[in-house]
């Protein structure tokens, strides 16, 4: 068992070390691990609800901001934000890199893997707490789940927009090639 743990730790270290942006990949995962560790230790060992709540929410907020503004831009070439107008309407903005070949496949895998696992982990915690009738922790879990799901939705929409832009670009290039061959 110890050998298997060493092998998996070595494989994980190699994955991060061979990524194009290993430090960015590390921070992409670091705040997630710190928030979840804070929740588990605070909930099961320390038992201080207020301190655990505050530290976990702050770490989740750090993770949300880091993923939204830094790691998404550096690891997958995307960024998003949502603007709420005075009339209450919402407008989504997306930025994405034009040449997706500049994105490292390992960076991309680490980004999307951690992005999708994060809300699933909190959803499992929500279900476990709900089923065990320990509802006092549900508020904290819902807050963490909202942070995590917001990034998933934002990047999913951004990815969809990037694919649409690439398809539009390909169509315009095809039309330009056809038109230029006529003249």
């Amino acid at each position: 068992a110890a050998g298997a743990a060493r092998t998996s730790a070595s494989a994980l270290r190699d994955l991060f070390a061979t990524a194009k942006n290993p430090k960015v990949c590390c921070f992409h995962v670091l705040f997630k691990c710190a928030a979840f560790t804070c929740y588990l230790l605070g909930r099961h060992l320390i038992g201080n609800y207020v301190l655990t709540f505050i530290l976990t929410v702050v770490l989740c907020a750090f993770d949300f901001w880091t993923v939204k503004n830094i790691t998404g831009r550096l690891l997958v070439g995307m960024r998003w934000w949502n603007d709420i107008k005075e009339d209450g309407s919402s407008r989504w903005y997306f930025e994405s890199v034009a040449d997706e070949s500049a994105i490292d496949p390992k960076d991309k895998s680490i980004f999307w893997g951690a992005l999708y696992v994060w809300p699933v982990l909190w959803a499992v915690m929500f279900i476990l707490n709900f089923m065990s009738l320990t509802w006092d922790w549900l508020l904290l879990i819902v807050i963490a789940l909202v942070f995590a799901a917001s990034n998933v939705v934002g990047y999913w929409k951004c990815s969809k927009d990037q694919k649409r832009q690439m398809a539009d670009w390909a169509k315009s290039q095809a039309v330009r090639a056809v038109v230029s061959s006529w003249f």
Side-chain angles (χ1 to χ4, degrees), residues 70-121:
I70 298 171
T71 63
R73 184 173 45 85
L74 295 175
L75 298 179
V76 292
M78 290 189 261
R79 204 168 73 123
W80 64 271
W81 65 94
N82 186 343
D83 186 30
I84 308 289
K85 307 285 185 201
E86 287 186 24
D87 64 357
S89 63
S90 174
R91 175 139 193 259
W92 288 82
Y93 295 92
F94 306 106
E95 291 177 358
S96 58
V97 67
D99 182 16
E100 217 176 311
S101 67
I103 304 300
D104 181 59
K106 287 186 181 178
D107 286 356
K108 189 176 182 178
S109 296
I110 292 169
F111 178 84
W112 289 108
L115 189 74
Y116 284 129
V117 165
W118 188 230
V120 170
L121 191 62

Coordinates of all heavy atoms in Angstrom, one line a residue, residues 70-121:
I70 N -7.0 34.1 -13.1 CA -5.6 33.7 -13.4 C -5.5 32.4 -14.1 O -5.0 32.3 -15.2 CB -4.8 33.8 -12.1 CG1 -4.8 35.3 -11.6 CG2 -3.4 33.4 -12.4 CD1 -4.3 35.5 -10.2
T71 N -5.8 31.3 -13.4 CA -5.5 30.0 -13.9 C -6.3 29.7 -15.2 O -5.8 29.0 -16.1 CB -5.7 28.9 -12.8 OG1 -7.1 28.8 -12.5 CG2 -4.9 29.1 -11.6
G72 N -7.5 30.1 -15.3 CA -8.3 29.9 -16.5 C -7.6 30.6 -17.7 O -7.5 30.0 -18.8
R73 N -7.1 31.8 -17.5 CA -6.5 32.5 -18.6 C -5.1 31.9 -18.9 O -4.8 31.7 -20.1 CB -6.3 34.0 -18.1 CG -5.7 34.9 -19.2 CD -5.7 36.3 -18.7 NE -5.2 36.5 -17.3 CZ -3.9 36.6 -17.0 NH1 -3.0 36.6 -17.9 NH2 -3.6 36.8 -15.7
L74 N -4.4 31.4 -17.9 CA -3.0 30.9 -18.2 C -3.0 29.4 -18.7 O -2.2 29.0 -19.4 CB -2.1 31.1 -17.0 CG -1.8 32.5 -16.6 CD1 -1.0 32.6 -15.3 CD2 -1.1 33.2 -17.7
L75 N -4.0 28.7 -18.1 CA -4.0 27.2 -18.4 C -4.8 26.8 -19.7 O -4.4 25.9 -20.4 CB -4.4 26.4 -17.2 CG -3.6 26.5 -16.0 CD1 -4.2 25.7 -14.8 CD2 -2.1 26.1 -16.2
V76 N -5.9 27.5 -19.9 CA -6.8 27.2 -21.0 C -7.1 28.4 -21.9 O -7.8 28.2 -22.9 CB -8.1 26.5 -20.6 CG1 -7.8 25.1 -20.0 CG2 -8.9 27.4 -19.6
G77 N -6.5 29.5 -21.6 CA -6.7 30.7 -22.5 C -8.1 31.3 -22.5 O -8.5 31.9 -23.5
M78 N -8.8 31.1 -21.4 CA -10.1 31.6 -21.3 C -10.3 32.4 -20.0 O -9.7 32.2 -19.0 CB -11.1 30.5 -21.3 CG -11.3 29.8 -22.6 SD -12.6 28.6 -22.6 CE -11.8 27.1 -22.2
R79 N -11.3 33.4 -20.1 CA -11.7 34.2 -19.0 C -13.1 34.6 -19.2 O -13.6 34.8 -20.3 CB -10.8 35.4 -18.9 CG -10.7 36.0 -17.5 CD -9.6 37.0 -17.4 NE -10.0 38.2 -18.1 CZ -10.0 39.4 -17.5 NH1 -9.7 39.6 -16.3 NH2 -10.4 40.5 -18.2
W80 N -13.9 34.7 -18.1 CA -15.3 35.1 -18.3 C -15.6 36.1 -17.1 O -15.0 36.1 -16.1 CB -16.2 33.9 -18.2 CG -16.1 33.2 -16.9 CD1 -15.3 32.2 -16.5 CD2 -16.9 33.4 -15.7 NE1 -15.5 31.8 -15.2 CE2 -16.5 32.5 -14.7 CE3 -18.0 34.3 -15.4 CZ2 -17.1 32.5 -13.4 CZ3 -18.5 34.3 -14.2 CH2 -18.1 33.4 -13.2
W81 N -16.7 36.8 -17.4 CA -17.3 37.6 -16.3 C -18.7 37.9 -16.7 O -19.1 37.7 -17.8 CB -16.5 38.9 -15.9 CG -16.5 39.9 -17.0 CD1 -17.3 41.0 -17.2 CD2 -15.5 40.0 -18.1 NE1 -16.9 41.7 -18.2 CE2 -15.8 41.1 -18.8 CE3 -14.4 39.2 -18.4 CZ2 -15.1 41.5 -19.9 CZ3 -13.7 39.6 -19.5 CH2 -14.0 40.7 -20.3
N82 N -19.5 38.2 -15.7 CA -20.9 38.4 -15.8 C -21.2 39.8 -15.3 O -20.9 40.1 -14.2 CB -21.7 37.4 -15.0 CG -23.2 37.5 -15.3 OD1 -23.7 38.5 -15.7 ND2 -23.9 36.4 -14.9
D83 N -21.9 40.6 -16.1 CA -22.2 42.0 -15.7 C -23.7 42.1 -15.5 O -24.5 41.8 -16.4 CB -21.7 43.0 -16.8 CG -21.9 44.4 -16.4 OD1 -21.8 44.7 -15.2 OD2 -22.1 45.2 -17.3
I84 N -24.1 42.6 -14.3 CA -25.5 42.8 -14.0 C -25.8 44.3 -14.3 O -25.2 45.1 -13.6 CB -25.9 42.4 -12.6 CG1 -25.4 41.0 -12.2 CG2 -27.3 42.6 -12.3 CD1 -26.1 39.9 -12.9
K85 N -26.7 44.5 -15.2 CA -27.1 45.9 -15.5 C -28.0 46.5 -14.4 O -28.6 45.7 -13.6 CB -27.9 45.9 -16.8 CG -27.1 45.3 -18.0 CD -26.0 46.1 -18.4 CE -25.3 45.5 -19.6 NZ -24.0 45.9 -19.9
E86 N -28.3 47.8 -14.5 CA -29.1 48.4 -13.5 C -30.6 47.9 -13.6 O -31.3 47.9 -12.6 CB -29.1 49.9 -13.7 CG -27.8 50.6 -13.2 CD -27.8 52.1 -13.2 OE1 -28.9 52.7 -13.2 OE2 -26.7 52.6 -13.3
D87 N -31.0 47.5 -14.8 CA -32.4 47.0 -14.9 C -32.5 45.6 -14.5 O -33.6 45.0 -14.5 CB -32.8 47.2 -16.4 CG -32.1 46.3 -17.3 OD1 -31.1 45.7 -16.9 OD2 -32.4 46.3 -18.5
G88 N -31.4 45.0 -14.0 CA -31.5 43.6 -13.5 C -31.1 42.5 -14.5 O -31.0 41.4 -14.2
S89 N -30.9 43.0 -15.8 CA -30.5 42.0 -16.8 C -29.1 41.6 -16.7 O -28.3 42.4 -16.1 CB -30.8 42.6 -18.2 OG -30.0 43.7 -18.4
S90 N -28.7 40.5 -17.2 CA -27.4 40.0 -17.0 C -26.8 39.8 -18.4 O -27.4 39.3 -19.3 CB -27.5 38.6 -16.3 OG -26.3 38.0 -16.3
R91 N -25.5 40.1 -18.5 CA -24.7 39.9 -19.8 C -23.4 39.2 -19.5 O -22.7 39.6 -18.6 CB -24.4 41.3 -20.4 CG -23.6 41.1 -21.7 CD -24.0 42.0 -22.8 NE -23.4 41.6 -24.0 CZ -22.3 42.2 -24.5 NH1 -21.8 43.3 -24.0 NH2 -21.8 41.7 -25.7
W92 N -23.2 38.1 -20.2 CA -22.0 37.4 -20.0 C -20.9 37.8 -21.0 O -21.3 38.1 -22.2 CB -22.2 35.9 -20.3 CG -23.0 35.2 -19.2 CD1 -24.4 35.3 -19.0 CD2 -22.5 34.4 -18.1 NE1 -24.7 34.5 -17.9 CE2 -23.6 34.0 -17.3 CE3 -21.2 34.0 -17.8 CZ2 -23.4 33.2 -16.2 CZ3 -21.1 33.2 -16.6 CH2 -22.2 32.8 -15.9
Y93 N -19.7 37.9 -20.6 CA -18.6 38.3 -21.4 C -17.6 37.2 -21.4 O -17.3 36.6 -20.3 CB -17.9 39.6 -20.9 CG -18.8 40.8 -21.0 CD1 -19.5 41.2 -19.9 CD2 -18.8 41.6 -22.2 CE1 -20.4 42.3 -20.0 CE2 -19.6 42.7 -22.2 CZ -20.4 43.1 -21.1 OH -21.2 44.2 -21.2
F94 N -17.0 36.9 -22.6 CA -16.0 35.8 -22.7 C -14.8 36.3 -23.4 O -14.9 37.0 -24.4 CB -16.6 34.6 -23.4 CG -17.9 34.1 -22.8 CD1 -19.1 34.4 -23.4 CD2 -18.0 33.4 -21.6 CE1 -20.3 33.9 -22.9 CE2 -19.1 33.0 -21.0 CZ -20.3 33.2 -21.7
E95 N -13.6 35.8 -22.9 CA -12.4 36.0 -23.7 C -11.8 34.7 -23.9 O -11.8 33.8 -22.9 CB -11.4 36.9 -22.8 CG -11.8 38.3 -22.7 CD -10.9 39.1 -21.8 OE1 -9.9 38.5 -21.3 OE2 -11.1 40.3 -21.6
S96 N -11.2 34.4 -25.0 CA -10.5 33.2 -25.3 C -9.4 33.4 -26.3 O -9.5 34.3 -27.1 CB -11.5 32.1 -25.8 OG -12.1 32.5 -27.0
V97 N -8.4 32.6 -26.1 CA -7.2 32.7 -27.0 C -7.7 32.2 -28.4 O -8.5 31.3 -28.6 CB -6.1 31.8 -26.4 CG1 -6.4 30.3 -26.5 CG2 -4.8 32.1 -27.2
A98 N -7.1 32.9 -29.4 CA -7.5 32.6 -30.8 C -6.9 31.3 -31.3 O -7.5 30.5 -32.0 CB -7.1 33.7 -31.7
D99 N -5.7 31.0 -30.9 CA -5.0 29.8 -31.3 C -4.9 28.8 -30.2 O -4.1 28.9 -29.3 CB -3.6 30.2 -31.8 CG -2.8 29.0 -32.3 OD1 -3.4 28.0 -32.6 OD2 -1.6 29.1 -32.5
E100 N -5.8 27.8 -30.3 CA -5.9 26.8 -29.2 C -4.7 25.9 -29.1 O -4.4 25.2 -28.2 CB -7.2 26.0 -29.3 CG -7.8 25.7 -28.0 CD -9.1 25.0 -28.1 OE1 -10.0 25.4 -28.9 OE2 -9.3 24.0 -27.4
S101 N -3.9 25.9 -30.2 CA -2.7 25.0 -30.2 C -1.6 25.5 -29.2 O -0.7 24.7 -28.9 CB -2.1 24.9 -31.6 OG -1.6 26.2 -32.0
A102 N -1.7 26.7 -28.8 CA -0.8 27.3 -27.8 C -1.1 26.7 -26.4 O -0.2 26.9 -25.5 CB -0.8 28.8 -27.8
I103 N -2.2 26.1 -26.2 CA -2.6 25.5 -24.9 C -1.9 24.2 -24.7 O -2.1 23.3 -25.5 CB -4.1 25.4 -24.8 CG1 -4.8 26.8 -25.0 CG2 -4.5 24.8 -23.4 CD1 -4.4 27.9 -24.1
D104 N -1.2 24.0 -23.6 CA -0.6 22.7 -23.3 C -1.7 21.7 -22.9 O -2.5 22.0 -22.0 CB 0.4 22.9 -22.1 CG 1.1 21.6 -21.8 OD1 1.8 21.1 -22.6 OD2 1.0 21.2 -20.6
P105 N -1.6 20.5 -23.4 CA -2.6 19.5 -23.1 C -2.7 19.1 -21.6 O -3.7 18.8 -21.0 CB -2.3 18.3 -23.9 CG -1.4 18.8 -25.0 CD -0.8 20.0 -24.5
K106 N -1.5 19.0 -21.0 CA -1.5 18.7 -19.5 C -2.1 19.8 -18.7 O -2.8 19.6 -17.7 CB 0.0 18.4 -19.1 CG 0.5 17.1 -19.6 CD 1.8 16.7 -19.0 CE 2.2 15.4 -19.6 NZ 3.5 15.0 -19.2
D107 N -1.7 21.1 -19.0 CA -2.3 22.2 -18.3 C -3.9 22.1 -18.5 O -4.6 22.3 -17.5 CB -1.9 23.5 -18.9 CG -0.4 23.9 -18.5 OD1 0.2 23.2 -17.7 OD2 0.1 24.9 -19.0
K108 N -4.3 21.9 -19.7 CA -5.7 21.8 -20.0 C -6.4 20.7 -19.2 O -7.5 20.9 -18.6 CB -5.9 21.6 -21.5 CG -7.3 21.7 -22.0 CD -7.3 21.5 -23.5 CE -8.7 21.7 -24.0 NZ -8.8 21.6 -25.5
S109 N -5.8 19.5 -19.1 CA -6.3 18.4 -18.3 C -6.4 18.7 -16.9 O -7.4 18.4 -16.2 CB -5.4 17.1 -18.6 OG -5.5 16.7 -19.9
I110 N -5.3 19.3 -16.3 CA -5.3 19.6 -14.9 C -6.4 20.6 -14.6 O -7.2 20.5 -13.6 CB -4.0 20.1 -14.5 CG1 -2.9 19.0 -14.5 CG2 -4.0 20.8 -13.1 CD1 -1.5 19.4 -14.3
F111 N -6.5 21.6 -15.5 CA -7.5 22.7 -15.3 C -9.0 22.1 -15.3 O -9.7 22.3 -14.3 CB -7.4 23.8 -16.4 CG -8.5 24.8 -16.2 CD1 -8.3 25.9 -15.4 CD2 -9.7 24.8 -16.9 CE1 -9.3 26.9 -15.2 CE2 -10.6 25.7 -16.8 CZ -10.4 26.8 -15.9
W112 N -9.3 21.4 -16.3 CA -10.7 20.9 -16.5 C -11.0 19.8 -15.4 O -12.1 19.7 -14.9 CB -11.0 20.4 -17.9 CG -11.1 21.6 -18.8 CD1 -10.2 21.9 -19.8 CD2 -12.1 22.5 -18.9 NE1 -10.6 23.0 -20.5 CE2 -11.8 23.4 -20.0 CE3 -13.3 22.7 -18.2 CZ2 -12.6 24.5 -20.3 CZ3 -14.1 23.8 -18.6 CH2 -13.8 24.7 -19.6
G113 N -10.0 19.0 -15.2 CA -10.2 17.9 -14.2 C -10.5 18.5 -12.8 O -11.5 18.1 -12.2
A114 N -9.7 19.4 -12.3 CA -9.9 20.0 -11.0 C -11.2 20.8 -11.0 O -11.9 20.8 -10.0 CB -8.7 20.9 -10.6
L115 N -11.5 21.5 -12.1 CA -12.7 22.3 -12.2 C -13.9 21.5 -12.0 O -14.9 21.9 -11.3 CB -12.7 23.1 -13.5 CG -13.8 24.2 -13.6 CD1 -13.5 25.4 -12.8 CD2 -14.0 24.6 -15.1
Y116 N -14.0 20.3 -12.7 CA -15.2 19.5 -12.6 C -15.3 18.6 -11.3 O -16.3 18.4 -10.8 CB -15.3 18.6 -13.8 CG -15.7 19.3 -15.1 CD1 -15.0 19.2 -16.2 CD2 -16.8 20.1 -15.1 CE1 -15.4 19.9 -17.4 CE2 -17.2 20.8 -16.2 CZ -16.5 20.7 -17.4 OH -16.9 21.4 -18.5
V117 N -14.1 18.2 -10.8 CA -14.1 17.4 -9.6 C -14.5 18.2 -8.3 O -15.2 17.7 -7.4 CB -12.7 16.8 -9.3 CG1 -12.6 16.2 -7.9 CG2 -12.5 15.7 -10.4
W118 N -14.2 19.5 -8.3 CA -14.4 20.4 -7.2 C -15.9 20.5 -6.8 O -16.2 20.2 -5.6 CB -13.8 21.7 -7.5 CG -13.8 22.7 -6.4 CD1 -14.2 24.0 -6.4 CD2 -13.3 22.6 -5.0 NE1 -14.0 24.7 -5.2 CE2 -13.4 23.8 -4.4 CE3 -12.7 21.5 -4.3 CZ2 -13.1 24.0 -3.0 CZ3 -12.4 21.7 -3.0 CH2 -12.5 22.9 -2.4
P119 N -16.8 20.8 -7.7 CA -18.2 20.9 -7.2 C -18.8 19.5 -6.9 O -19.7 19.4 -6.0 CB -18.9 21.5 -8.4 CG -18.1 21.4 -9.6 CD -16.7 21.3 -9.0
V120 N -18.3 18.5 -7.6 CA -18.7 17.1 -7.3 C -18.4 16.7 -5.8 O -19.2 16.1 -5.1 CB -18.2 16.1 -8.3 CG1 -18.4 14.7 -7.8 CG2 -18.7 16.3 -9.7
L121 N -17.2 17.1 -5.4 CA -16.7 16.8 -4.0 C -17.6 17.5 -3.0 O -18.1 16.9 -2.0 CB -15.3 17.3 -3.9 CG -14.5 16.9 -2.6 CD1 -14.4 15.4 -2.5 CD2 -13.2 17.6 -2.7

